[in-house]
Protein backbone atom coordinates (compact mmCIF):
# COMPACT_ATOMS: atom_id res chain seq x y z
CA UNK A 1 0.00 0.00 0.00
CA UNK A 2 1.33 3.45 -0.95
CA UNK A 3 2.59 5.62 1.91
CA UNK A 4 3.08 9.09 0.45
CA UNK A 5 1.45 12.32 1.55
CA UNK A 6 -1.64 13.35 -0.39
CA UNK A 7 -1.81 17.12 -0.84
CA UNK A 8 -5.54 17.07 -1.48
CA UNK A 9 -6.77 15.25 1.61
CA UNK A 10 -3.63 15.74 3.80
CA UNK A 11 -3.56 12.11 4.80
CA UNK A 12 -1.13 9.27 4.30
CA UNK A 13 -3.77 6.61 4.86
CA UNK A 14 -6.30 7.89 2.33
CA UNK A 15 -3.93 8.63 -0.54
CA UNK A 16 -4.69 5.51 -2.58
CA UNK A 17 -8.46 6.03 -2.35
CA UNK A 18 -8.13 9.76 -2.96
CA UNK A 19 -5.96 9.34 -6.07
CA UNK A 20 -8.06 6.57 -7.61
CA UNK A 21 -11.42 8.30 -6.98
CA UNK A 22 -10.42 11.60 -8.60
CA UNK A 23 -11.85 12.29 -12.03
CA UNK A 24 -9.59 13.95 -14.58
CA UNK A 25 -9.52 17.73 -14.31
CA UNK A 26 -9.25 17.93 -18.11
CA UNK A 27 -10.31 15.25 -20.57
CA UNK A 28 -9.89 15.88 -24.32
CA UNK A 29 -10.86 13.30 -26.93
CA UNK A 30 -10.23 13.51 -30.70
CA UNK A 31 -10.09 17.32 -30.81
CA UNK A 32 -9.82 19.01 -34.22
CA UNK A 33 -9.63 22.71 -35.12
CA UNK A 34 -9.31 24.10 -38.66
CA UNK A 35 -8.42 27.57 -39.90
CA UNK A 36 -9.83 27.41 -43.42
CA UNK A 37 -8.43 24.19 -44.88
CA UNK A 38 -5.45 24.17 -42.48
CA UNK A 39 -5.80 21.74 -39.53
CA UNK A 40 -4.30 23.62 -36.57
CA UNK A 41 -5.15 20.73 -34.21
CA UNK A 42 -5.52 17.14 -35.41
CA UNK A 43 -6.97 14.36 -33.26
CA UNK A 44 -5.68 15.74 -29.94
CA UNK A 45 -6.35 13.49 -26.96
CA UNK A 46 -5.17 14.07 -23.41
CA UNK A 47 -6.23 13.37 -19.84
CA UNK A 48 -4.86 15.54 -17.03
CA UNK A 49 -5.40 14.43 -13.46
CA UNK A 50 -6.38 16.92 -10.77
CA UNK A 51 -3.37 18.48 -9.09
CA UNK A 52 -1.04 17.78 -12.03
CA UNK A 53 0.98 20.35 -13.96
CA UNK A 54 1.44 20.30 -17.71
CA UNK A 55 3.70 22.18 -20.13
CA UNK A 56 2.86 22.74 -23.77
CA UNK A 57 5.96 22.75 -25.93
CA UNK A 58 6.17 23.05 -29.70
CA UNK A 59 7.39 25.10 -32.59
CA UNK A 60 5.67 28.25 -33.83
CA UNK A 61 2.33 27.37 -35.40
CA UNK A 62 2.06 23.99 -33.66
CA UNK A 63 -1.34 24.83 -32.10
CA UNK A 64 -0.39 25.59 -28.47
CA UNK A 65 -2.32 28.86 -28.27
CA UNK A 66 -5.25 27.40 -30.18
CA UNK A 67 -5.52 24.55 -27.67
CA UNK A 68 -5.38 26.97 -24.72
CA UNK A 69 -8.05 29.17 -26.31
CA UNK A 70 -10.31 26.15 -26.74
CA UNK A 71 -9.76 25.13 -23.12
CA UNK A 72 -10.57 28.69 -22.01
CA UNK A 73 -13.80 28.67 -24.04
CA UNK A 74 -12.65 31.39 -26.43
CA UNK A 75 -12.71 29.10 -29.49
CA UNK A 76 -14.83 26.11 -30.45
CA UNK A 77 -13.33 22.98 -31.97
CA UNK A 78 -14.80 21.54 -35.17
CA UNK A 79 -14.72 17.99 -33.75
CA UNK A 80 -13.95 16.27 -30.51
CA UNK A 81 -14.96 16.46 -26.86
CA UNK A 82 -13.76 18.44 -23.87
Amino acid sequence: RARAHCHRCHSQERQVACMSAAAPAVQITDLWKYYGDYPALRAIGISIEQGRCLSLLGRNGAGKTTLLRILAGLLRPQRGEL
Side-chain angles (χ1 to χ4, degrees):
R1 189 165 144 171
R3 284 278 197 189
H5 186 271
C6 179
H7 295 286
R8 276 178 270 156
C9 63
H10 303 288
S11 168
Q12 290 183 347
E13 297 300 317
R14 296 186 307 179
Q15 182 191 15
V16 174
C18 182
M19 296 292 263
S20 62
V26 176
Q27 180 75 40
I28 299 172
T29 307
D30 196 34
L31 193 73
W32 290 73
K33 175 65 179 173
Y34 288 88
Y35 290 111
D37 291 334
Y38 177 75
L41 299 175
R42 292 180 283 192
I44 301 295
I46 191 168
S47 179
I48 305 170
E49 296 175 12
Q50 294 180 24
R52 297 297 236 177
C53 295
L54 175 77
S55 295
L56 292 176
L57 303 174
R59 61 177 172 71
N60 291 346
K64 301 175 300 291
T65 301
T66 299
L67 179 59
L68 292 174
R69 287 181 177 165
I70 290 171
L71 288 172
L74 301 174
L75 288 177
R76 291 180 162 241
Q78 270 81 16
R79 291 189 349 211
E81 295 180 23
L82 292 175

Coordinates of all heavy atoms in Angstrom, one line a residue:
R1 N 0.8 -1.2 0.0 CA 0.0 0.0 0.0 C 0.9 1.2 0.0 O 1.8 1.3 0.7 CB -0.9 0.0 1.2 CG -1.9 1.0 1.2 CD -3.0 0.6 2.3 NE -3.4 1.9 2.9 CZ -4.4 1.9 3.7 NH1 -5.0 0.8 4.1 NH2 -4.8 3.0 4.2
A2 N 0.5 2.2 -0.8 CA 1.3 3.4 -0.9 C 1.3 4.2 0.4 O 0.3 4.3 1.0 CB 0.8 4.3 -2.1
R3 N 2.5 4.9 0.7 CA 2.6 5.6 1.9 C 3.2 7.0 1.7 O 4.1 7.4 2.3 CB 3.5 4.9 2.9 CG 2.9 3.7 3.5 CD 2.1 4.2 4.7 NE 1.8 3.2 5.6 CZ 0.9 3.4 6.6 NH1 0.4 4.5 6.8 NH2 0.7 2.4 7.3
A4 N 2.6 7.7 0.7 CA 3.1 9.1 0.4 C 2.0 10.1 0.9 O 0.9 9.7 1.1 CB 3.4 9.3 -1.0
H5 N 2.4 11.3 1.1 CA 1.4 12.3 1.6 C 0.6 12.8 0.4 O 1.1 13.2 -0.6 CB 2.2 13.5 2.2 CG 1.4 14.5 2.8 ND1 0.9 15.6 2.1 CD2 0.9 14.6 4.1 CE1 0.1 16.3 2.9 NE2 0.2 15.7 4.1
C6 N -0.7 12.8 0.6 CA -1.6 13.3 -0.4 C -1.9 14.8 -0.1 O -2.4 15.2 1.0 CB -2.9 12.5 -0.4 SG -4.2 13.2 -1.5
H7 N -1.6 15.7 -1.0 CA -1.8 17.1 -0.8 C -3.3 17.5 -0.9 O -3.6 18.6 -0.4 CB -1.0 17.9 -1.9 CG 0.5 17.7 -1.7 ND1 1.2 18.3 -0.7 CD2 1.3 17.0 -2.4 CE1 2.4 18.0 -0.8 NE2 2.6 17.1 -1.8
R8 N -4.1 16.7 -1.4 CA -5.5 17.1 -1.5 C -6.3 16.8 -0.2 O -7.0 17.6 0.3 CB -6.2 16.4 -2.6 CG -6.0 17.1 -3.9 CD -6.7 16.4 -5.0 NE -5.6 15.5 -5.5 CZ -5.8 14.4 -6.2 NH1 -7.0 14.0 -6.4 NH2 -4.9 13.7 -6.6
C9 N -6.0 15.6 0.4 CA -6.8 15.3 1.6 C -5.9 15.3 2.9 O -6.3 15.0 3.9 CB -7.4 13.9 1.5 SG -6.3 12.5 1.2
H10 N -4.6 15.6 2.7 CA -3.6 15.7 3.8 C -3.6 14.5 4.7 O -3.5 14.6 5.9 CB -4.0 17.0 4.6 CG -4.0 18.2 3.8 ND1 -2.8 18.8 3.3 CD2 -5.0 19.0 3.4 CE1 -3.1 19.9 2.6 NE2 -4.5 20.0 2.6
S11 N -3.6 13.4 4.0 CA -3.6 12.1 4.8 C -2.7 11.1 4.1 O -2.7 11.0 2.9 CB -5.0 11.5 4.9 OG -4.9 10.2 5.4
Q12 N -1.9 10.4 4.9 CA -1.1 9.3 4.3 C -2.0 8.1 4.1 O -1.8 7.3 3.1 CB 0.0 8.9 5.2 CG 1.1 10.0 5.3 CD 2.3 9.5 6.1 OE1 2.2 8.6 6.9 NE2 3.3 10.3 6.0
E13 N -2.9 7.8 4.9 CA -3.8 6.6 4.9 C -4.7 6.6 3.7 O -5.0 5.6 3.1 CB -4.6 6.4 6.2 CG -3.7 6.2 7.4 CD -2.8 5.0 7.2 OE1 -3.3 3.9 6.8 OE2 -1.6 5.0 7.6
R14 N -5.3 7.8 3.4 CA -6.3 7.9 2.3 C -5.8 8.2 0.9 O -6.5 8.4 0.0 CB -7.3 9.0 2.7 CG -8.0 8.6 4.0 CD -9.1 9.6 4.3 NE -8.6 11.0 4.2 CZ -9.4 12.0 4.4 NH1 -10.6 11.9 4.7 NH2 -8.8 13.2 4.4
Q15 N -4.5 8.2 0.8 CA -3.9 8.6 -0.5 C -4.4 7.7 -1.7 O -4.8 8.2 -2.7 CB -2.4 8.7 -0.5 CG -1.9 9.1 -1.9 CD -0.4 8.9 -2.1 OE1 0.2 8.2 -1.3 NE2 0.1 9.6 -3.0
V16 N -4.3 6.4 -1.5 CA -4.7 5.5 -2.6 C -6.1 5.7 -3.0 O -6.5 5.8 -4.2 CB -4.4 4.0 -2.2 CG1 -4.9 3.1 -3.2 CG2 -2.9 3.8 -1.9
A17 N -7.1 5.8 -2.0 CA -8.5 6.0 -2.3 C -8.7 7.4 -3.0 O -9.4 7.5 -3.9 CB -9.3 5.9 -1.1
C18 N -8.0 8.4 -2.5 CA -8.1 9.8 -3.0 C -7.7 9.8 -4.4 O -8.3 10.4 -5.2 CB -7.3 10.7 -2.1 SG -7.5 12.4 -2.6
M19 N -6.5 9.3 -4.7 CA -6.0 9.3 -6.1 C -6.8 8.5 -7.1 O -7.0 9.0 -8.2 CB -4.5 8.8 -6.1 CG -3.6 9.7 -5.3 SD -3.3 11.3 -6.0 CE -1.8 10.9 -6.8
S20 N -7.3 7.4 -6.7 CA -8.1 6.6 -7.6 C -9.5 7.1 -7.8 O -10.1 6.8 -8.8 CB -8.1 5.1 -7.1 OG -8.8 5.0 -5.9
A21 N -10.0 7.8 -6.9 CA -11.4 8.3 -7.0 C -11.5 9.6 -7.8 O -12.6 10.0 -8.2 CB -12.0 8.5 -5.6
A22 N -10.4 10.3 -8.0 CA -10.4 11.6 -8.6 C -10.7 11.5 -10.1 O -10.0 10.7 -10.8 CB -9.1 12.3 -8.3
A23 N -11.6 12.2 -10.6 CA -11.9 12.3 -12.0 C -10.8 13.2 -12.7 O -10.3 14.1 -12.0 CB -13.3 12.8 -12.3
P24 N -10.5 13.0 -13.9 CA -9.6 14.0 -14.6 C -10.1 15.4 -14.5 O -11.3 15.7 -14.7 CB -9.5 13.5 -16.0 CG -10.2 12.1 -16.0 CD -11.0 12.0 -14.8
A25 N -9.2 16.3 -14.3 CA -9.5 17.7 -14.3 C -9.8 18.2 -15.7 O -10.7 19.0 -16.0 CB -8.4 18.6 -13.7
V26 N -9.1 17.6 -16.7 CA -9.2 17.9 -18.1 C -9.2 16.6 -18.9 O -8.3 15.8 -18.7 CB -8.1 18.9 -18.6 CG1 -8.3 19.1 -20.1 CG2 -8.1 20.2 -17.9
Q27 N -10.2 16.4 -19.7 CA -10.3 15.2 -20.6 C -10.6 15.7 -22.0 O -11.7 16.3 -22.2 CB -11.4 14.3 -20.1 CG -11.6 13.1 -20.9 CD -10.5 12.1 -20.7 OE1 -10.0 11.9 -19.5 NE2 -10.0 11.4 -21.7
I28 N -9.7 15.5 -22.9 CA -9.9 15.9 -24.3 C -9.8 14.6 -25.2 O -8.9 13.8 -25.0 CB -8.8 16.9 -24.8 CG1 -8.8 18.1 -23.9 CG2 -8.9 17.2 -26.2 CD1 -7.7 19.0 -24.2
T29 N -10.8 14.5 -26.1 CA -10.9 13.3 -26.9 C -11.1 13.7 -28.4 O -12.0 14.4 -28.7 CB -12.0 12.4 -26.5 OG1 -11.9 12.1 -25.1 CG2 -12.0 11.1 -27.3
D30 N -10.1 13.3 -29.2 CA -10.2 13.5 -30.7 C -10.6 14.9 -31.1 O -11.5 15.2 -31.9 CB -11.2 12.5 -31.3 CG -11.1 12.4 -32.8 OD1 -10.0 12.5 -33.3 OD2 -12.1 12.2 -33.5
L31 N -9.8 15.9 -30.6 CA -10.1 17.3 -30.8 C -9.5 17.8 -32.1 O -8.3 17.5 -32.4 CB -9.5 18.1 -29.7 CG -9.9 19.6 -29.6 CD1 -11.4 19.7 -29.1 CD2 -9.0 20.3 -28.6
W32 N -10.3 18.5 -32.9 CA -9.8 19.0 -34.2 C -10.2 20.5 -34.3 O -11.3 20.9 -33.9 CB -10.5 18.3 -35.4 CG -10.0 16.9 -35.6 CD1 -10.3 15.8 -34.8 CD2 -9.2 16.4 -36.7 NE1 -9.7 14.7 -35.4 CE2 -9.0 15.1 -36.5 CE3 -8.5 17.1 -37.7 CZ2 -8.2 14.3 -37.3 CZ3 -7.8 16.3 -38.6 CH2 -7.6 14.9 -38.4
K33 N -9.3 21.3 -34.9 CA -9.6 22.7 -35.1 C -9.0 23.1 -36.4 O -7.8 22.9 -36.7 CB -9.1 23.6 -34.0 CG -9.2 25.1 -34.3 CD -10.7 25.5 -34.3 CE -10.8 27.0 -34.5 NZ -12.2 27.4 -34.7
Y34 N -9.8 23.7 -37.3 CA -9.3 24.1 -38.7 C -9.3 25.6 -38.7 O -10.2 26.3 -38.2 CB -10.2 23.5 -39.8 CG -10.1 22.1 -40.0 CD1 -10.8 21.2 -39.3 CD2 -9.2 21.6 -41.0 CE1 -10.7 19.8 -39.5 CE2 -9.0 20.2 -41.2 CZ -9.8 19.3 -40.5 OH -9.7 18.0 -40.7
Y35 N -8.4 26.2 -39.5 CA -8.4 27.6 -39.9 C -8.5 27.5 -41.4 O -7.4 27.2 -42.1 CB -7.2 28.4 -39.4 CG -7.2 28.6 -37.9 CD1 -6.3 28.0 -37.1 CD2 -8.1 29.5 -37.3 CE1 -6.3 28.2 -35.7 CE2 -8.2 29.7 -36.0 CZ -7.2 29.0 -35.2 OH -7.3 29.2 -33.8
G36 N -9.7 27.6 -42.0 CA -9.8 27.4 -43.4 C -9.6 25.9 -43.7 O -10.3 25.1 -43.1
D37 N -8.7 25.6 -44.6 CA -8.4 24.2 -44.9 C -7.3 23.7 -44.1 O -6.9 22.5 -44.1 CB -8.1 24.0 -46.4 CG -9.3 24.2 -47.3 OD1 -10.4 24.0 -46.8 OD2 -9.1 24.6 -48.4
Y38 N -6.6 24.5 -43.3 CA -5.5 24.2 -42.5 C -5.9 23.6 -41.1 O -6.5 24.3 -40.3 CB -4.6 25.4 -42.3 CG -3.3 25.1 -41.4 CD1 -2.3 24.4 -41.9 CD2 -3.3 25.5 -40.1 CE1 -1.2 24.1 -41.2 CE2 -2.2 25.2 -39.3 CZ -1.1 24.5 -39.8 OH 0.0 24.2 -39.1
P39 N -5.5 22.3 -40.8 CA -5.8 21.7 -39.5 C -4.8 22.2 -38.5 O -3.7 21.7 -38.4 CB -5.7 20.2 -39.8 CG -4.7 20.1 -40.9 CD -4.9 21.4 -41.7
A40 N -5.2 23.1 -37.6 CA -4.3 23.6 -36.6 C -4.1 22.6 -35.5 O -3.1 22.4 -34.9 CB -4.8 24.9 -36.0
L41 N -5.2 21.8 -35.2 CA -5.2 20.7 -34.2 C -5.8 19.5 -34.9 O -6.8 19.6 -35.5 CB -6.0 21.1 -32.9 CG -5.5 22.3 -32.1 CD1 -6.5 22.5 -31.0 CD2 -4.1 22.1 -31.6
R42 N -5.1 18.4 -34.8 CA -5.5 17.1 -35.4 C -5.6 16.0 -34.4 O -4.5 15.6 -33.9 CB -4.6 16.8 -36.6 CG -4.7 17.7 -37.7 CD -3.7 17.3 -38.8 NE -2.4 17.7 -38.4 CZ -1.3 17.6 -39.2 NH1 -1.4 17.2 -40.4 NH2 -0.1 18.0 -38.7
A43 N -6.8 15.5 -34.1 CA -7.0 14.4 -33.3 C -6.2 14.4 -31.9 O -5.6 13.5 -31.5 CB -6.6 13.1 -34.0
I44 N -6.3 15.6 -31.2 CA -5.7 15.7 -29.9 C -6.5 15.0 -28.9 O -7.7 15.1 -28.8 CB -5.6 17.2 -29.5 CG1 -4.9 18.1 -30.6 CG2 -5.1 17.4 -28.1 CD1 -3.4 17.7 -30.7
G45 N -5.7 14.2 -28.1 CA -6.3 13.5 -27.0 C -5.4 13.6 -25.8 O -4.2 13.3 -25.9
I46 N -6.0 14.0 -24.6 CA -5.2 14.1 -23.4 C -6.1 14.0 -22.2 O -7.2 14.4 -22.2 CB -4.4 15.4 -23.4 CG1 -3.3 15.4 -22.3 CG2 -5.2 16.6 -23.3 CD1 -2.3 16.5 -22.4
S47 N -5.5 13.4 -21.1 CA -6.2 13.4 -19.8 C -5.3 13.9 -18.8 O -4.2 13.4 -18.7 CB -6.6 11.9 -19.5 OG -7.3 11.9 -18.3
I48 N -5.7 14.9 -18.1 CA -4.9 15.5 -17.0 C -5.5 15.4 -15.7 O -6.7 15.8 -15.5 CB -4.7 17.0 -17.3 CG1 -4.1 17.2 -18.7 CG2 -3.7 17.7 -16.3 CD1 -4.1 18.7 -19.2
E49 N -4.9 14.7 -14.8 CA -5.4 14.4 -13.5 C -5.4 15.7 -12.6 O -4.6 16.6 -12.9 CB -4.6 13.4 -12.7 CG -4.6 12.0 -13.4 CD -3.6 11.1 -12.7 OE1 -3.1 11.4 -11.6 OE2 -3.4 10.0 -13.2
Q50 N -6.3 15.8 -11.7 CA -6.4 16.9 -10.8 C -5.1 17.0 -10.0 O -4.5 16.0 -9.6 CB -7.5 16.7 -9.8 CG -8.9 16.8 -10.5 CD -10.0 16.6 -9.5 OE1 -9.9 16.9 -8.3 NE2 -11.2 16.2 -10.0
G51 N -4.6 18.2 -9.8 CA -3.4 18.5 -9.1 C -2.1 18.3 -9.9 O -1.0 18.5 -9.4
R52 N -2.2 18.0 -11.2 CA -1.0 17.8 -12.0 C -0.7 19.1 -12.8 O -1.6 19.8 -13.1 CB -1.3 16.7 -13.1 CG -1.5 15.3 -12.4 CD -0.3 14.9 -11.7 NE 0.2 13.6 -12.2 CZ 1.2 13.0 -11.7 NH1 2.0 13.6 -10.8 NH2 1.6 11.9 -12.2
C53 N 0.5 19.2 -13.1 CA 1.0 20.4 -14.0 C 1.3 19.8 -15.3 O 1.7 18.7 -15.5 CB 2.2 21.0 -13.3 SG 1.9 21.8 -11.8
L54 N 1.2 20.7 -16.3 CA 1.4 20.3 -17.7 C 2.1 21.5 -18.4 O 1.7 22.6 -18.2 CB 0.1 19.9 -18.4 CG 0.2 19.6 -19.9 CD1 0.8 18.2 -20.1 CD2 -1.1 19.8 -20.5
S55 N 3.1 21.2 -19.3 CA 3.7 22.2 -20.1 C 3.4 21.9 -21.6 O 3.4 20.7 -22.0 CB 5.2 22.2 -20.0 OG 5.6 22.5 -18.7
L56 N 3.1 22.9 -22.3 CA 2.9 22.7 -23.8 C 4.1 23.3 -24.5 O 4.4 24.4 -24.4 CB 1.6 23.5 -24.2 CG 0.3 23.0 -23.8 CD1 -0.8 24.0 -24.2 CD2 0.0 21.6 -24.3
L57 N 4.8 22.4 -25.2 CA 6.0 22.8 -25.9 C 5.8 22.4 -27.4 O 5.2 21.4 -27.7 CB 7.2 22.0 -25.4 CG 7.5 22.1 -23.9 CD1 8.6 21.2 -23.6 CD2 7.9 23.5 -23.6
G58 N 6.3 23.3 -28.3 CA 6.2 23.1 -29.7 C 6.7 24.3 -30.5 O 6.8 25.3 -29.9
R59 N 6.9 24.0 -31.7 CA 7.4 25.1 -32.6 C 6.3 26.1 -32.8 O 5.1 25.9 -32.5 CB 7.9 24.5 -33.9 CG 6.8 23.8 -34.7 CD 7.3 23.3 -36.0 NE 6.4 22.4 -36.6 CZ 5.2 22.8 -37.2 NH1 4.9 24.1 -37.2 NH2 4.4 22.0 -37.7
N60 N 6.7 27.2 -33.4 CA 5.7 28.3 -33.8 C 4.6 27.6 -34.8 O 5.0 26.9 -35.7 CB 6.3 29.4 -34.5 CG 7.2 30.2 -33.6 OD1 7.1 30.1 -32.4 ND2 8.0 31.1 -34.2
G61 N 3.4 27.9 -34.5 CA 2.3 27.4 -35.4 C 1.9 25.9 -35.1 O 1.1 25.4 -35.8
A62 N 2.4 25.4 -34.0 CA 2.1 24.0 -33.7 C 0.7 23.8 -33.1 O 0.1 22.7 -33.0 CB 3.1 23.4 -32.7
G63 N 0.0 24.9 -32.6 CA -1.3 24.8 -32.1 C -1.4 25.0 -30.6 O -2.5 24.8 -30.0
K64 N -0.4 25.4 -29.9 CA -0.4 25.6 -28.5 C -1.4 26.6 -28.0 O -2.3 26.3 -27.2 CB 1.0 26.0 -28.0 CG 2.1 25.0 -28.3 CD 3.5 25.5 -27.9 CE 3.9 26.8 -28.5 NZ 4.2 26.7 -30.0
T65 N -1.4 27.8 -28.6 CA -2.3 28.9 -28.3 C -3.7 28.5 -28.6 O -4.7 28.8 -27.9 CB -1.9 30.2 -28.9 OG1 -0.6 30.5 -28.5 CG2 -2.8 31.3 -28.6
T66 N -3.9 27.8 -29.8 CA -5.3 27.4 -30.2 C -5.8 26.4 -29.2 O -7.0 26.6 -28.8 CB -5.2 26.7 -31.6 OG1 -4.7 27.7 -32.5 CG2 -6.5 26.2 -32.0
L67 N -5.0 25.5 -28.7 CA -5.5 24.5 -27.7 C -5.9 25.3 -26.4 O -6.9 25.0 -25.8 CB -4.4 23.5 -27.4 CG -4.8 22.5 -26.3 CD1 -6.1 21.7 -26.7 CD2 -3.7 21.5 -26.1
L68 N -5.1 26.2 -25.9 CA -5.4 27.0 -24.7 C -6.6 27.8 -24.9 O -7.4 27.9 -24.0 CB -4.2 27.8 -24.3 CG -3.0 27.1 -23.8 CD1 -1.8 28.0 -23.6 CD2 -3.3 26.3 -22.6
R69 N -6.8 28.4 -26.1 CA -8.0 29.2 -26.3 C -9.3 28.3 -26.3 O -10.4 28.7 -25.8 CB -7.9 29.9 -27.6 CG -7.0 31.1 -27.6 CD -6.9 31.8 -28.8 NE -6.0 33.0 -28.7 CZ -5.5 33.7 -29.7 NH1 -5.7 33.3 -30.9 NH2 -4.7 34.7 -29.4
I70 N -9.2 27.1 -26.8 CA -10.3 26.2 -26.7 C -10.6 25.8 -25.3 O -11.8 25.8 -24.9 CB -10.0 24.9 -27.6 CG1 -10.1 25.3 -29.1 CG2 -11.1 23.8 -27.3 CD1 -9.6 24.2 -30.0
L71 N -9.6 25.5 -24.5 CA -9.8 25.1 -23.1 C -10.4 26.3 -22.3 O -11.1 26.1 -21.4 CB -8.4 24.7 -22.5 CG -7.9 23.4 -22.9 CD1 -6.5 23.1 -22.4 CD2 -8.8 22.2 -22.5
A72 N -10.0 27.5 -22.7 CA -10.6 28.7 -22.0 C -12.0 29.0 -22.5 O -12.6 29.9 -21.9 CB -9.6 29.9 -22.2
G73 N -12.5 28.4 -23.5 CA -13.8 28.7 -24.0 C -13.8 29.8 -25.0 O -14.9 30.3 -25.3
L74 N -12.7 30.3 -25.5 CA -12.7 31.4 -26.4 C -12.8 30.9 -27.9 O -13.2 31.8 -28.7 CB -11.3 32.2 -26.3 CG -11.1 32.7 -24.9 CD1 -9.7 33.3 -24.8 CD2 -12.1 33.8 -24.5
L75 N -12.5 29.7 -28.2 CA -12.7 29.1 -29.5 C -13.5 27.8 -29.3 O -13.5 27.2 -28.3 CB -11.4 28.8 -30.1 CG -10.5 29.9 -30.6 CD1 -9.2 29.3 -31.2 CD2 -11.2 30.7 -31.7
R76 N -14.1 27.4 -30.4 CA -14.8 26.1 -30.4 C -14.1 25.2 -31.4 O -13.8 25.6 -32.5 CB -16.3 26.3 -30.9 CG -17.1 27.0 -29.9 CD -18.5 27.1 -30.4 NE -19.4 27.4 -29.3 CZ -20.4 26.7 -28.9 NH1 -20.7 25.6 -29.5 NH2 -21.1 27.0 -27.9
P77 N -13.9 23.9 -31.0 CA -13.3 23.0 -32.0 C -14.4 22.5 -33.0 O -15.6 22.6 -32.8 CB -12.9 21.8 -31.1 CG -13.9 21.9 -29.9 CD -14.2 23.3 -29.7
Q78 N -13.9 22.1 -34.2 CA -14.8 21.5 -35.2 C -15.3 20.1 -34.8 O -16.4 19.8 -35.1 CB -14.1 21.5 -36.6 CG -14.3 22.7 -37.4 CD -13.4 23.9 -37.0 OE1 -12.4 23.6 -36.3 NE2 -13.7 25.1 -37.4
R79 N -14.4 19.4 -34.2 CA -14.7 18.0 -33.8 C -14.1 17.7 -32.4 O -13.1 18.4 -32.0 CB -14.2 17.0 -34.8 CG -14.9 17.0 -36.1 CD -14.5 15.9 -37.0 NE -13.4 15.0 -36.7 CZ -12.7 14.4 -37.6 NH1 -12.9 14.6 -38.9 NH2 -11.7 13.6 -37.2
G80 N -14.6 16.7 -31.7 CA -14.0 16.3 -30.5 C -14.7 16.7 -29.3 O -15.8 17.4 -29.4
E81 N -14.3 16.2 -28.1 CA -15.0 16.5 -26.9 C -14.0 17.0 -25.8 O -12.9 16.6 -25.7 CB -15.6 15.2 -26.3 CG -16.6 14.6 -27.2 CD -17.2 13.3 -26.6 OE1 -17.1 13.1 -25.4 OE2 -17.8 12.5 -27.4
L82 N -14.5 17.9 -25.0 CA -13.8 18.4 -23.9 C -14.4 17.9 -22.6 O -15.6 17.9 -22.5 CB -13.8 20.0 -23.8 CG -13.0 20.7 -24.9 CD1 -13.2 22.1 -24.8 CD2 -11.5 20.3 -24.8

